[in-house]
Amino acid sequence: VTGASFVVFNGALKTSSGFLAKSSIVEDGLMVQITPETMESLRQALRDKKDFKITCGKTDTGDMKEYVDICWVENEEKTNEG
């Protein structure tokens, strides 16, 4: 679990790169590089207020995967304090 001050979603990852998606820590935030298709799915999930999971890692790797989970919560007041 990584806490971040901000998240950047970059939808320019090419499918020929060999990655499903890539995540990296940038300063005190998180940058997630995703394909244009995944970006469109993410946009739709945000519009619909649905949870969304991005699987990061190489396409040919078996178990070694990282995940970026976007989760909607019931009560924003407590989760965003401080």
Side-chain angles (χ1 to χ4, degrees):
V1 175
T2 301
S5 296
F6 64 91
V7 178
V8 175
F9 294 101
N10 177 343
L13 184 68
K14 296 187 183 332
T15 51
S16 61
S17 69
F19 285 91
L20 298 166
K22 294 166 65 174
S23 64
S24 55
I25 296 174
V26 180
E27 296 180 14
D28 61 341
L30 179 69
M31 180 170 68
V32 185
Q33 298 174 5
I34 55 180
T35 62
E37 296 81 16
T38 304
M39 178 65 90
E40 185 53 41
S41 297
L42 171 60
R43 286 182 180 147
Q44 189 60 51
L46 292 173
R47 281 187 216 109
D48 296 341
K49 295 186 178 181
K50 302 275 185 184
D51 293 351
F52 193 78
K53 180 182 251 183
I54 299 170
T55 304
C56 300
K58 288 204 164 259
T59 53
D60 58 358
T61 307
D63 333 327
M64 297 298 289
K65 301 276 189 252
E66 294 179 357
Y67 300 95
V68 176
D69 288 321
I70 295 100
C71 303
W72 290 88
V73 295
E74 293 294 324
N75 186 352
E76 285 186 40
E77 290 177 17
K78 292 183 181 176
T79 57
N80 290 332
E81 285 181 4

XYZ file of all heavy atoms in Angstrom:
630
model
N 0.852 -1.172 0.000
C 0.000 0.000 0.000
C 0.892 1.228 0.000
O 1.817 1.320 0.798
C -0.924 0.022 1.237
C -1.713 1.304 1.292
C -1.833 -1.174 1.251
N 0.621 2.149 -0.913
C 1.390 3.382 -1.027
C 0.446 4.559 -0.900
O -0.551 4.633 -1.615
C 2.112 3.453 -2.394
O 2.969 2.327 -2.519
C 2.929 4.720 -2.518
N 0.749 5.487 -0.007
C -0.014 6.720 0.104
C 0.618 7.750 -0.802
O 1.837 7.782 -0.954
N -0.182 8.604 -1.438
C 0.352 9.584 -2.366
C -0.420 10.889 -2.236
O -1.599 10.893 -1.902
C 0.253 9.061 -3.798
N 0.265 11.996 -2.517
C -0.388 13.306 -2.507
C -1.163 13.555 -3.788
O -2.081 14.349 -3.819
C 0.655 14.411 -2.329
O 1.292 14.295 -1.075
N -0.738 12.906 -4.860
C -1.436 13.060 -6.132
C -1.223 11.809 -6.977
O -0.320 11.017 -6.723
C -0.943 14.294 -6.902
C 0.506 14.211 -7.310
C 0.872 13.672 -8.533
C 1.504 14.678 -6.464
C 2.209 13.592 -8.907
C 2.841 14.599 -6.832
C 3.196 14.058 -8.059
N -2.073 11.642 -7.994
C -1.954 10.529 -8.935
C -2.064 11.098 -10.342
O -2.940 11.914 -10.617
C -3.053 9.471 -8.724
C -2.921 8.352 -9.751
C -3.012 8.909 -7.325
N -1.157 10.680 -11.217
C -1.192 11.066 -12.626
C -1.461 9.810 -13.444
O -0.752 8.811 -13.291
C 0.156 11.691 -13.071
C 0.150 11.971 -14.568
C 0.460 12.944 -12.284
N -2.477 9.852 -14.281
C -2.755 8.753 -15.197
C -2.325 9.200 -16.591
O -2.840 10.186 -17.114
C -4.242 8.391 -15.193
C -4.700 7.834 -13.880
C -5.380 8.631 -12.982
C -4.428 6.517 -13.543
C -5.811 8.119 -11.769
C -4.849 6.000 -12.326
C -5.532 6.804 -11.436
N -1.368 8.479 -17.187
C -0.847 8.782 -18.512
C -1.355 7.704 -19.452
O -1.000 6.535 -19.311
C 0.683 8.804 -18.453
C 1.337 9.048 -19.785
O 0.717 8.912 -20.834
N 2.604 9.403 -19.748
N -2.169 8.079 -20.419
C -2.799 7.119 -21.316
C -2.061 6.912 -22.625
O -2.681 6.588 -23.631
N -0.733 7.077 -22.632
C 0.029 6.965 -23.881
C 0.890 5.708 -23.960
O 1.732 5.605 -24.840
C 0.903 8.204 -24.043
N 0.699 4.744 -23.062
C 1.500 3.517 -23.095
C 1.099 2.683 -24.314
O -0.079 2.402 -24.523
C 1.288 2.709 -21.809
C 2.149 1.451 -21.662
C 3.616 1.818 -21.485
C 1.678 0.637 -20.460
N 2.082 2.297 -25.091
C 1.811 1.498 -26.291
C 1.700 0.020 -25.921
O 2.446 -0.467 -25.081
C 2.917 1.703 -27.314
C 3.009 3.128 -27.827
C 4.002 3.226 -28.939
C 4.227 4.604 -29.475
N 3.218 5.555 -29.418
N 0.797 -0.689 -26.556
C 0.639 -2.116 -26.280
C 1.886 -2.891 -26.689
O 2.182 -3.941 -26.126
C -0.589 -2.686 -27.013
O -0.523 -2.318 -28.386
C -1.878 -2.161 -26.419
N 2.659 -2.361 -27.634
C 3.890 -3.026 -28.077
C 5.026 -2.913 -27.061
O 6.068 -3.534 -27.235
C 4.350 -2.438 -29.418
O 4.634 -1.062 -29.279
N 4.829 -2.154 -25.979
C 5.867 -1.988 -24.957
C 6.096 -3.266 -24.155
O 7.113 -3.404 -23.486
C 5.495 -0.856 -23.996
O 4.386 -1.230 -23.192
N 5.130 -4.185 -24.179
C 5.252 -5.412 -23.405
C 4.735 -5.283 -21.983
O 4.863 -6.196 -21.183
N 4.132 -4.148 -21.651
C 3.586 -3.915 -20.318
C 2.072 -3.805 -20.370
O 1.513 -3.238 -21.315
C 4.144 -2.619 -19.710
C 5.550 -2.729 -19.225
C 6.612 -2.438 -20.061
C 5.818 -3.127 -17.923
C 7.916 -2.539 -19.615
C 7.114 -3.231 -17.465
C 8.179 -2.933 -18.315
N 1.415 -4.339 -19.343
C -0.019 -4.118 -19.166
C -0.240 -2.679 -18.741
O -1.113 -1.979 -19.243
C -0.569 -5.057 -18.096
C -0.465 -6.550 -18.387
C -0.733 -7.343 -17.120
C -1.444 -6.922 -19.478
N 0.559 -2.227 -17.771
C 0.580 -0.865 -17.264
C 1.852 -0.736 -16.427
O 2.448 -1.737 -16.041
C -0.651 -0.566 -16.417
N 2.271 0.497 -16.161
C 3.462 0.733 -15.345
C 3.128 1.764 -14.284
O 2.473 2.766 -14.570
C 4.610 1.263 -16.212
C 5.125 0.258 -17.221
C 6.015 0.873 -18.279
C 7.302 1.422 -17.740
N 8.201 1.888 -18.828
N 3.557 1.525 -13.058
C 3.371 2.512 -11.992
C 4.735 2.889 -11.436
O 5.633 2.053 -11.345
C 2.464 1.963 -10.885
O 3.074 0.864 -10.254
N 4.887 4.153 -11.077
C 6.139 4.605 -10.491
C 5.870 5.784 -9.559
O 4.920 6.548 -9.754
C 7.143 4.999 -11.578
O 6.587 5.954 -12.449
N 6.696 5.891 -8.545
C 6.579 6.992 -7.589
C 7.313 8.194 -8.171
O 8.459 8.088 -8.593
C 7.145 6.587 -6.215
C 6.298 5.454 -5.645
C 7.185 7.787 -5.284
C 6.823 4.857 -4.368
N 6.628 9.324 -8.212
C 7.182 10.571 -8.734
C 7.033 11.612 -7.643
O 5.910 11.950 -7.273
C 6.420 11.013 -10.007
C 6.983 12.306 -10.549
C 6.448 9.934 -11.056
N 8.168 12.088 -7.103
C 8.164 13.008 -5.972
C 7.319 12.417 -4.854
O 7.644 11.365 -4.354
C 7.722 14.404 -6.413
C 8.685 15.041 -7.388
C 8.266 16.413 -7.831
O 7.367 17.012 -7.211
O 8.849 16.903 -8.810
N 6.195 13.046 -4.488
C 5.349 12.487 -3.427
C 4.017 11.990 -3.984
O 3.014 11.941 -3.292
C 5.133 13.493 -2.295
C 4.442 14.765 -2.757
O 4.459 15.034 -3.976
O 3.903 15.490 -1.913
N 4.037 11.613 -5.257
C 2.818 11.117 -5.897
C 3.074 9.831 -6.652
O 4.132 9.217 -6.545
N 2.091 9.435 -7.412
C 2.147 8.191 -8.167
C 1.793 8.479 -9.619
O 0.808 9.166 -9.898
C 1.145 7.189 -7.579
C 1.040 5.830 -8.245
C 2.317 5.024 -8.004
C -0.159 5.076 -7.719
N 2.623 7.963 -10.554
C 2.299 8.062 -11.971
C 1.977 6.664 -12.478
O 2.740 5.726 -12.245
C 3.442 8.640 -12.792
C 3.077 8.736 -14.266
S 4.217 9.640 -15.294
C 5.632 8.577 -15.253
N 0.848 6.539 -13.159
C 0.412 5.260 -13.713
C 0.317 5.423 -15.222
O -0.456 6.245 -15.718
C -0.952 4.831 -13.134
C -1.329 3.453 -13.628
C -0.930 4.858 -11.617
N 1.138 4.663 -15.944
C 1.118 4.690 -17.406
C 0.243 3.543 -17.884
O 0.488 2.385 -17.524
C 2.530 4.557 -17.958
C 3.438 5.687 -17.541
C 4.869 5.465 -17.989
O 5.179 4.520 -18.690
N 5.749 6.357 -17.558
N -0.784 3.883 -18.664
C -1.744 2.884 -19.131
C -1.970 3.059 -20.634
O -1.634 4.101 -21.207
C -3.082 2.991 -18.367
C -3.664 4.402 -18.460
C -2.911 2.578 -16.923
C -4.984 4.602 -17.750
N -2.554 2.042 -21.252
C -2.865 2.110 -22.676
C -4.081 3.014 -22.896
O -4.868 3.240 -21.966
C -3.171 0.709 -23.229
O -4.323 0.198 -22.563
C -1.987 -0.233 -23.067
N -4.250 3.512 -24.108
C -5.441 4.337 -24.393
C -6.752 3.598 -24.117
O -7.723 4.201 -23.660
C -5.297 4.659 -25.887
C -3.826 4.577 -26.150
C -3.322 3.480 -25.246
N -6.776 2.281 -24.363
C -7.989 1.500 -24.104
C -8.307 1.452 -22.607
O -9.469 1.591 -22.202
C -7.837 0.068 -24.641
C -7.682 -0.027 -26.147
C -6.249 0.253 -26.637
O -5.307 0.233 -25.829
O -6.103 0.503 -27.843
N -7.267 1.261 -21.795
C -7.459 1.247 -20.347
C -7.880 2.622 -19.855
O -8.721 2.747 -18.964
C -6.179 0.785 -19.626
O -5.801 -0.494 -20.138
C -6.382 0.693 -18.126
N -7.327 3.691 -20.460
C -7.696 5.057 -20.076
C -9.184 5.290 -20.335
O -9.875 5.875 -19.499
C -6.859 6.078 -20.847
C -7.222 7.514 -20.537
S -6.889 8.002 -18.829
C -5.228 8.587 -18.991
N -9.686 4.819 -21.445
C -11.108 4.988 -21.745
C -11.962 4.218 -20.737
O -12.988 4.720 -20.268
C -11.428 4.545 -23.174
C -12.857 4.815 -23.586
C -13.299 6.254 -23.375
O -12.513 7.186 -23.653
O -14.445 6.460 -22.904
N -11.538 3.010 -20.379
C -12.269 2.226 -19.370
C -12.224 2.922 -18.011
O -13.217 2.938 -17.280
C -11.673 0.831 -19.255
O -11.799 0.130 -20.457
N -11.081 3.502 -17.663
C -10.953 4.238 -16.401
C -11.876 5.449 -16.395
O -12.580 5.697 -15.415
C -9.502 4.666 -16.184
C -9.243 5.619 -15.014
C -9.666 4.993 -13.690
C -7.783 6.036 -14.976
N -11.893 6.185 -17.476
C -12.786 7.361 -17.564
C -14.247 6.959 -17.367
O -14.998 7.631 -16.659
C -12.626 8.046 -18.913
C -11.357 8.826 -19.038
C -11.305 9.505 -20.391
N -10.081 10.258 -20.522
C -9.441 10.432 -21.661
N -9.915 9.894 -22.775
N -8.336 11.141 -21.693
N -14.640 5.866 -18.003
C -16.027 5.413 -17.870
C -16.323 4.999 -16.428
O -17.376 5.305 -15.893
C -16.325 4.265 -18.833
C -17.784 3.891 -18.898
C -18.657 5.055 -19.351
O -18.381 5.690 -20.375
N -19.703 5.348 -18.596
N -15.375 4.303 -15.798
C -15.563 3.884 -14.396
C -15.695 5.102 -13.480
O -16.513 5.114 -12.559
C -14.400 3.005 -13.954
N -14.905 6.145 -13.735
C -15.005 7.361 -12.925
C -16.346 8.052 -13.140
O -16.967 8.515 -12.177
C -13.850 8.315 -13.246
C -12.467 7.838 -12.821
C -11.386 8.777 -13.353
C -12.363 7.704 -11.315
N -16.797 8.104 -14.386
C -18.113 8.702 -14.666
C -19.228 7.943 -13.951
O -20.158 8.540 -13.423
C -18.399 8.694 -16.172
C -17.720 9.783 -16.936
C -18.199 9.785 -18.406
N -17.071 10.131 -19.236
C -16.413 9.319 -20.050
N -16.813 8.070 -20.210
N -15.386 9.724 -20.743
N -19.103 6.618 -13.932
C -20.125 5.769 -13.317
C -19.926 5.588 -11.809
O -20.715 4.900 -11.168
C -20.121 4.385 -13.977
C -20.494 4.439 -15.440
O -21.099 5.438 -15.886
O -20.162 3.473 -16.167
N -18.854 6.180 -11.273
C -18.493 6.038 -9.852
C -18.357 4.573 -9.466
O -18.886 4.107 -8.466
C -19.493 6.758 -8.953
C -19.490 8.250 -9.157
C -20.380 8.948 -8.154
C -20.308 10.447 -8.369
N -21.116 11.179 -7.428
N -17.624 3.832 -10.286
C -17.363 2.407 -10.057
C -15.894 2.223 -9.681
O -15.033 2.949 -10.158
C -17.631 1.590 -11.337
C -19.020 1.711 -11.882
C -19.933 0.756 -11.205
C -21.313 0.825 -11.863
N -22.276 0.018 -11.222
N -15.617 1.223 -8.824
C -14.240 0.875 -8.503
C -13.548 0.377 -9.768
O -14.198 -0.139 -10.684
C -14.193 -0.222 -7.435
C -14.711 0.261 -6.083
O -14.938 1.476 -5.915
O -14.876 -0.587 -5.201
N -12.219 0.542 -9.823
C -11.467 0.151 -11.014
C -10.107 -0.372 -10.580
O -9.477 0.194 -9.694
C -11.306 1.356 -11.951
C -10.829 1.005 -13.323
C -11.691 0.482 -14.270
C -9.511 1.213 -13.673
C -11.250 0.162 -15.539
C -9.058 0.899 -14.946
C -9.929 0.374 -15.881
N -9.659 -1.457 -11.191
C -8.360 -2.053 -10.866
C -7.482 -2.049 -12.106
O -7.905 -2.493 -13.174
C -8.533 -3.480 -10.358
C -7.220 -4.166 -10.010
C -7.446 -5.592 -9.565
C -7.159 -5.645 -8.074
N -7.266 -6.973 -7.523
N -6.266 -1.520 -11.958
C -5.285 -1.518 -13.036
C -4.185 -2.499 -12.657
O -3.574 -2.375 -11.594
C -4.688 -0.109 -13.243
C -5.798 0.878 -13.618
C -3.591 -0.142 -14.310
C -5.365 2.326 -13.617
N -3.951 -3.472 -13.518
C -2.892 -4.456 -13.299
C -1.630 -3.962 -13.978
O -1.635 -3.683 -15.179
C -3.295 -5.820 -13.882
O -4.538 -6.213 -13.303
C -2.240 -6.876 -13.586
N -0.551 -3.828 -13.207
C 0.720 -3.334 -13.734
C 1.714 -4.483 -13.840
O 1.673 -5.418 -13.054
C 1.301 -2.270 -12.812
S 0.237 -0.838 -12.590
N 2.598 -4.387 -14.799
C 3.645 -5.383 -14.975
C 3.756 -5.802 -16.423
O 2.994 -5.362 -17.284
N 4.717 -6.654 -16.691
C 4.928 -7.154 -18.053
C 3.817 -8.125 -18.427
O 3.290 -8.834 -17.582
C 6.284 -7.839 -18.166
C 7.445 -6.890 -18.127
C 8.628 -7.536 -18.827
C 9.664 -6.516 -19.152
N 9.658 -6.092 -20.538
N 3.489 -8.148 -19.696
C 2.410 -9.015 -20.167
C 2.772 -10.492 -20.079
O 1.906 -11.324 -19.877
C 2.030 -8.686 -21.626
O 3.216 -8.722 -22.424
C 1.388 -7.338 -21.742
N 4.064 -10.819 -20.177
C 4.471 -12.228 -20.189
C 4.891 -12.764 -18.828
O 5.278 -13.908 -18.698
C 5.610 -12.443 -21.190
C 6.832 -11.583 -20.884
O 6.781 -10.793 -19.925
O 7.832 -11.703 -21.610
N 4.795 -11.942 -17.764
C 5.167 -12.382 -16.420
C 3.990 -13.067 -15.751
O 2.869 -12.585 -15.827
C 5.614 -11.175 -15.563
O 6.633 -10.479 -16.266
C 6.150 -11.629 -14.226
N 4.245 -14.183 -15.069
C 3.187 -14.953 -14.419
C 2.601 -14.281 -13.199
O 1.592 -13.598 -13.257
N 3.243 -14.471 -12.027
C 2.651 -14.031 -10.760
C 3.026 -12.609 -10.357
O 2.328 -12.005 -9.586
C 3.074 -14.928 -9.595
C 3.414 -16.339 -9.987
O 2.801 -16.847 -10.920
O 4.285 -16.912 -9.332
N 4.151 -12.097 -10.800
C 4.657 -10.813 -10.315
C 3.868 -9.645 -10.892
O 4.190 -9.124 -11.949
C 6.146 -10.658 -10.667
C 7.040 -11.686 -10.000
S 7.010 -11.574 -8.206
C 7.882 -10.053 -7.960
N 2.819 -9.258 -10.216
C 1.979 -8.158 -10.674
C 1.794 -7.154 -9.544
O 1.786 -7.499 -8.372
C 0.602 -8.656 -11.110
C 0.625 -9.671 -12.232
C 0.711 -9.002 -13.565
C 0.526 -9.972 -14.688
N 1.681 -10.278 -15.442
N 1.670 -5.895 -9.917
C 1.287 -4.838 -8.992
C -0.094 -4.371 -9.429
O -0.452 -4.487 -10.602
C 2.264 -3.664 -9.065
C 3.655 -3.981 -8.594
C 4.589 -2.781 -8.714
O 4.170 -1.716 -9.205
O 5.749 -2.933 -8.331
N -0.834 -3.830 -8.495
C -2.177 -3.362 -8.807
C -2.361 -1.939 -8.308
O -1.873 -1.578 -7.239
C -3.239 -4.253 -8.147
C -3.145 -5.691 -8.594
C -2.435 -6.624 -7.851
C -3.749 -6.102 -9.774
C -2.333 -7.940 -8.271
C -3.652 -7.416 -10.206
C -2.946 -8.326 -9.446
O -2.835 -9.628 -9.872
N -3.066 -1.130 -9.087
C -3.502 0.188 -8.660
C -5.014 0.096 -8.580
O -5.692 -0.126 -9.587
C -3.067 1.287 -9.659
C -3.625 2.636 -9.242
C -1.549 1.335 -9.771
N -5.544 0.222 -7.365
C -6.989 0.125 -7.143
C -7.563 1.516 -6.918
O -7.090 2.248 -6.044
C -7.298 -0.734 -5.916
C -7.036 -2.203 -6.149
O -7.337 -2.679 -7.254
O -6.528 -2.868 -5.234
N -8.572 1.874 -7.693
C -9.310 3.110 -7.478
C -10.625 2.695 -6.839
O -11.409 1.956 -7.442
C -9.552 3.861 -8.804
C -8.216 4.316 -9.412
C -10.421 5.087 -8.575
C -7.723 3.468 -10.490
N -10.843 3.132 -5.600
C -12.017 2.696 -4.831
C -12.834 3.895 -4.380
O -12.288 4.866 -3.853
C -11.583 1.903 -3.594
S -10.573 0.483 -3.967
N -14.111 3.803 -4.566
C -15.034 4.815 -4.062
C -15.369 4.465 -2.621
O -15.540 3.303 -2.288
C -16.297 4.852 -4.922
C -16.008 5.401 -6.277
C -15.599 4.692 -7.364
C -16.053 6.759 -6.669
N -15.399 5.538 -8.415
C -15.673 6.815 -8.033
C -16.378 7.947 -6.025
C -15.608 8.011 -8.741
C -16.318 9.133 -6.743
C -15.936 9.162 -8.076
N -15.487 5.482 -1.780
C -15.793 5.266 -0.362
C -17.108 5.939 -0.017
O -17.564 6.852 -0.704
C -14.653 5.795 0.543
C -13.388 4.988 0.314
C -14.400 7.262 0.310
N -17.713 5.466 1.058
C -19.010 6.003 1.485
C -18.894 7.395 2.093
O -19.672 8.270 1.809
C -19.657 5.064 2.514
C -20.059 3.728 1.925
C -21.171 3.843 0.905
O -22.067 4.676 1.087
O -21.125 3.104 -0.088
N -17.902 7.581 2.971
C -17.798 8.818 3.731
C -16.462 9.483 3.434
O -15.437 9.098 3.966
C -17.942 8.521 5.226
C -17.993 9.781 6.054
O -17.774 10.878 5.568
N -18.274 9.614 7.333
N -16.459 10.519 2.603
C -15.229 11.201 2.233
C -14.631 11.999 3.383
O -13.431 12.205 3.417
C -15.486 12.141 1.059
C -15.648 11.433 -0.252
C -15.743 12.411 -1.400
O -15.015 13.403 -1.383
O -16.555 12.162 -2.299
N -15.449 12.475 4.293
C -14.956 13.335 5.367
C -13.833 12.680 6.152
O -12.826 13.286 6.426
C -16.098 13.710 6.313
C -17.108 14.652 5.689
C -18.251 14.929 6.633
O -18.133 14.673 7.840
O -19.278 15.429 6.157
N -13.982 11.425 6.537
C -12.974 10.755 7.359
C -11.739 10.341 6.572
O -10.638 10.375 7.084
C -13.588 9.527 8.027
C -14.622 9.885 9.076
C -15.153 8.660 9.769
C -16.211 9.084 10.786
N -16.845 7.951 11.424
N -11.883 9.980 5.300
C -10.737 9.500 4.534
C -9.862 10.643 4.036
O -8.692 10.440 3.773
C -11.176 8.656 3.332
O -12.060 9.438 2.522
C -11.865 7.385 3.776
N -10.386 11.839 3.900
C -9.603 12.951 3.356
C -9.130 13.941 4.416
O -8.595 14.987 4.071
C -10.401 13.678 2.284
C -10.559 12.860 1.032
O -9.706 12.024 0.748
N -11.638 13.059 0.299
N -9.340 13.659 5.695
C -8.877 14.563 6.744
C -7.363 14.583 6.795
O -6.714 13.557 6.726
C -9.423 14.129 8.113
C -10.884 14.444 8.298
C -11.393 14.020 9.666
O -10.597 13.557 10.484
O -12.600 14.145 9.888
N -6.802 15.778 6.916
C -5.342 15.914 7.075
C -4.612 15.686 5.809
O -3.464 15.513 5.729
